């Protein structure tokens, strides 16, 4: 949403994937009933960005910007949100931005991102992008494979009761990343260019300017290498004014990247079992045949979803759902009253507990319309050996059954601004949904 107002009927849902190399922006098209990626001024769907703290060999060019906690808000407004504003023809936006995980983002970043709407983890966003092609069921385990600049990330999500998602595990193979793959391809191209033009071995790659040009060209080439039998890397004026045009065959690339492929296969084969496997990230074209060899028919794809755009699409879908959450008249009036001075996020559902032994015993822990984040604590009454966790409003749904409890059990329930539900029993975290 706009940073100064609450959602209205004209508010546009926006999803942003703020990656280590590229930012992607999507808006939700209500007429088509699905999110769409936005093109920047150059006609590309990805806007170049180098994130602070990433150990990259690339050097920012004039059109690239290293984003830090200090300039994040300005970058959002000037570079990223402007794309959404131009596309939607309005500044009335509700924005959901992806983050690797809550643990991986510092408080300063979260504070800035929450000003524009909220955040969601990359794995959850990727899952939402495939919402139309997944038939969820309770107990289903979904493996999200994300290949990007930060490495090969594997996150296992558990489909719990009534659509809740629980993150079961998360692992990263840092050695298999975009930088490593581009370096392998780039050094091979540079070597052939040097031999052809009789430059000393390693001279071109050691040039920061030439290396940056090669990295950009090789990054684009990697996206087509598994579609075509060869990829031609072309760079105007690569070094000393000489153009570079080098063809790399598919068999040669497979030889060059064999070590990284072996590492990736070993990593994937040791992951926990899953019912479905989904891909996201820039390295999906390289990763897909490896994942297929390991997981076979468990790998789900859709011709309408580009995995490199999945996170942005999922964020836009979450933003649209947020905008269409139903609120009571009292809550809407309260939000309207507070709108000029404060942006308030409230719980769209009511959550409580029921005692199976006492049919009329129902306790509301977090009421619909409660300002978020919300945390409540409840001590069990005598004789409560089991309880049920329920969504009470707008539709009654049982979320979980907790048994083998004693009179000294203390429950703590937390609902975040991003809709993540956490439950502790005597201090032990039980559910993340």
């Amino acid at each position: 949403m706009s940073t100064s107002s609450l959602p209205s009927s004209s508010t546009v849902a926006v999803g942003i994937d703020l990656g280590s190399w590229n930012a992607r922006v999507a808006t939700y098209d209500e007429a088509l009933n699905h999110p769409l990626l936005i093109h920047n001024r150059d006609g590309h769907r990805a806007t170049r960005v180098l994130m602070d703290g990433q150990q990259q060999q690339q050097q920012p060019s004039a059109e690239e910007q290293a984003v830090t906690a200090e300039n994040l808000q300005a970058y959002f407004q000037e570079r990223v949100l402007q794309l959404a504003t131009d596309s939607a023809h309005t500044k009335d936006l509700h924005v959901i931005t992806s983050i690797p995980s809550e643990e991986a983002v510092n408080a300063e970043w979260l504070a800035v991102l929450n000003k524009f709407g909220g955040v969601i983890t990359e794995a959850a966003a990727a899952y939402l992008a495939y919402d139309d092609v997944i038939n969820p069921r309770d107990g289903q385990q979904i493996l999200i494979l994300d290949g990007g600049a930060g490495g090969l990330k594997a996150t296992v999500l558990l489909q719990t009761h009534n659509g809740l998602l629980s993150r079961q595990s998360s692992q990263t193979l840092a050695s298999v990343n975009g930088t490593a793959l581009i370096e392998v391809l780039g050094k091979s191209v540079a070597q052939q260019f040097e031999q052809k033009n009789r430059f000393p071995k390693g001279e071109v790659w050691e040039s920061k300017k030439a290396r940056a040009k090669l990295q950009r060209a090789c990054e684009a080439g990697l996206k087509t290498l598994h579609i075509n039998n060869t990829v031609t890397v072309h760079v105007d004026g690569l070094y000393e004014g000489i153009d570079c045009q080098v063809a790399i065959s598919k068999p040669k690339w497979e030889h060059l990247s064999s070590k990284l492929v072996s590492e990736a296969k070993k990593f994937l084969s040791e992951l926990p079992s899953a019912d479905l496997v989904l891909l996201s990230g820039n390295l999906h074209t390289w990763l897909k045949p490896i994942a297929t060899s390991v997981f076979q028919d468990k790998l789900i794809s859709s011709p309408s979803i580009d995995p490199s755009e999945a996170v942005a699409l999922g964020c836009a879908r979450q933003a649209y759902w947020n905008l269409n959450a139903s609120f009571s008249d009292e809550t809407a009036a309260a939000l309207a009253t507070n709108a000029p001075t404060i942006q308030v996020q409230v719980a769209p559902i009511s959550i409580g507990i029921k005692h199976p032994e006492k049919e009329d015993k129902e306790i509301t822990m977090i009421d619909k319309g409660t300002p978020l984040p919300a945390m409540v604590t409840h001590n069990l009454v005598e004789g409560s050996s089991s309880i049920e966790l329920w969504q009470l409003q707008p539709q009654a749904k049982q979320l979980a059954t907790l048994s083998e409890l004693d009179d000294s059990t203390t429950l703590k329930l937390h609902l975040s601004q991003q809709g993540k539900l956490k439950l502790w029993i005597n201090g032990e975290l039980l559910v993340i949904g």
Side-chain angles (χ1 to χ4, degrees):
M1 71 180 69
S2 63
T3 57
S4 61
S5 63
L6 293 167
S8 66
S9 59
S10 61
T11 303
V12 175
V14 176
I16 296 176
D17 173 13
L18 191 59
S20 300
W21 283 357
N22 299 294
R24 290 181 171 83
V25 183
T27 58
Y28 198 93
D29 190 311
E30 292 192 69
L32 299 175
N33 198 30
H34 64 75
L36 298 173
L37 259 289
I38 296 174
H39 293 81
N40 61 22
R41 297 174 183 174
D42 299 324
H44 303 301
R45 290 186 172 188
T47 298
R48 195 67 174 179
V49 54
L50 297 182
M51 302 305 294
D52 181 43
Q54 298 292 331
Q55 296 180 353
Q56 304 176 35
Q57 297 181 9
Q58 292 170 281
Q59 301 297 317
S61 63
E63 66 272 11
E64 295 170 347
Q65 178 176 356
V67 178
T68 65
E70 289 72 26
N71 67 10
L72 177 61
Q73 181 165 335
Y75 174 81
F76 248 67
Q77 292 174 326
E78 297 169 7
R79 295 288 301 276
V80 182
L81 285 184
Q82 190 61 45
L83 297 176
T85 299
D86 293 344
S87 175
H89 306 293
T90 179
K91 293 184 178 180
D92 189 8
L93 310 173
H94 177 65
V95 182
I96 294 295
T97 307
S98 67
I99 59 174
S101 67
E102 288 184 338
E103 298 83 2
V105 180
N106 61 42
E108 290 80 6
W109 279 69
L110 283 176
V112 173
L113 296 177
N114 280 323
K115 287 181 180 180
F116 298 97
V119 298
I120 187 174
T121 63
E122 292 172 349
Y127 173 84
L128 293 178
Y130 290 89
D131 182 70
D132 292 337
V133 296
I134 294 176
N135 295 315
R137 67 175 190 274
D138 290 352
Q140 192 174 53
Q141 297 202 57
I142 304 99
L143 174 62
I144 310 294
L145 297 178
D146 181 278
L152 176 54
K153 303 175 186 176
T155 303
V156 178
L157 303 176
L158 174 66
Q159 183 82 50
T160 60
H161 295 287
N162 300 304
L164 289 177
L165 284 175
S166 169
R167 189 179 69 176
Q168 297 295 97
S169 64
S170 183
Q171 302 178 50
T172 301
L173 180 60
S175 60
V176 177
N177 56 62
T179 301
L181 286 165
I182 289 172
E183 182 173 331
V184 168
L185 182 58
K187 283 185 175 180
S188 178
V189 172
Q191 185 177 10
Q192 293 187 51
F193 176 80
E194 290 164 348
Q195 291 173 347
K196 180 180 179 180
N197 296 282
R198 299 183 180 181
F199 289 115
K201 184 178 180 180
E203 181 175 308
V204 173
W205 188 255
E206 290 173 2
S207 167
K208 291 184 178 180
K209 186 176 180 180
R211 185 170 68 241
K213 290 182 178 181
L214 263 181
Q215 287 171 322
R216 292 293 297 273
C218 290
E219 181 186 352
L222 280 176
K223 297 177 182 178
T224 61
L225 194 56
H226 289 276
I227 301 174
N228 306 317
N229 290 326
T230 61
V231 59
T232 300
V233 178
H234 179 85
V235 183
D236 292 329
L238 174 62
Y239 191 66
E240 294 189 358
I242 303 175
D243 296 342
C244 170
Q245 184 160 323
V246 174
I248 301 292
S249 67
K250 194 171 182 179
K252 183 173 183 177
W253 167 245
E254 290 174 350
H255 171 71
L256 291 171
S257 63
S258 59
K259 182 180 178 181
L260 293 172
V261 170
S262 297
E263 289 185 50
K265 279 188 176 180
K266 183 176 183 296
F267 175 72
L268 296 181
S269 63
E270 295 174 351
L271 292 173
S273 61
D275 300 301
L276 300 176
V277 181
L278 306 176
L279 294 181
S280 67
N282 282 337
L283 304 183
H284 66 92
T285 54
W286 177 82
L287 184 58
K288 185 175 181 178
I290 304 173
T292 301
S293 68
V294 175
F295 302 107
Q296 299 178 5
D297 58 352
K298 292 182 178 180
L299 184 64
I300 303 298
S301 62
S302 171
S304 63
I305 300 172
D306 181 341
S308 65
E309 302 171 351
V311 172
L313 296 174
C315 287
R317 192 181 293 275
Q318 180 66 62
Y320 180 73
W321 289 349
N322 288 358
L323 288 176
N324 288 273
S326 58
F327 300 103
S328 66
D329 293 339
E330 293 181 0
T331 299
L335 291 174
T337 302
N338 290 331
T341 58
I342 187 170
Q343 177 180 316
V344 181
Q345 290 180 269
V346 299
I349 61 175
S350 175
I351 302 174
I353 58 175
K354 295 183 179 182
H355 296 262
E357 301 93 343
K358 305 175 182 179
E359 295 182 357
D360 60 341
K361 190 68 172 179
E362 179 182 290
I363 300 174
T364 299
M365 296 186 69
I366 298 179
D367 204 359
K368 185 178 177 182
T370 300
L372 298 179
M375 177 175 285
V376 293
T377 301
H378 176 72
N379 296 315
L380 292 190
V381 298
E382 184 178 353
S384 299
S385 60
S386 66
I387 62 169
E388 297 172 349
L389 183 66
W390 279 75
Q391 173 185 305
L392 304 175
Q393 292 181 1
Q395 294 178 332
K397 299 178 181 178
Q398 184 178 348
L399 304 179
T401 298
L402 310 175
S403 57
E404 298 182 4
L405 307 176
D406 55 42
D407 296 344
S408 61
T409 299
T410 298
L411 304 178
K412 182 183 291 185
L413 196 66
H414 178 268
L415 185 61
S416 71
Q417 290 174 305
Q418 294 75 48
K420 178 176 285 187
L421 183 65
K422 298 183 179 181
L423 174 67
W424 288 263
I425 298 180
N426 291 334
E428 181 179 356
L429 182 61
L430 182 65
V431 176
I432 302 177

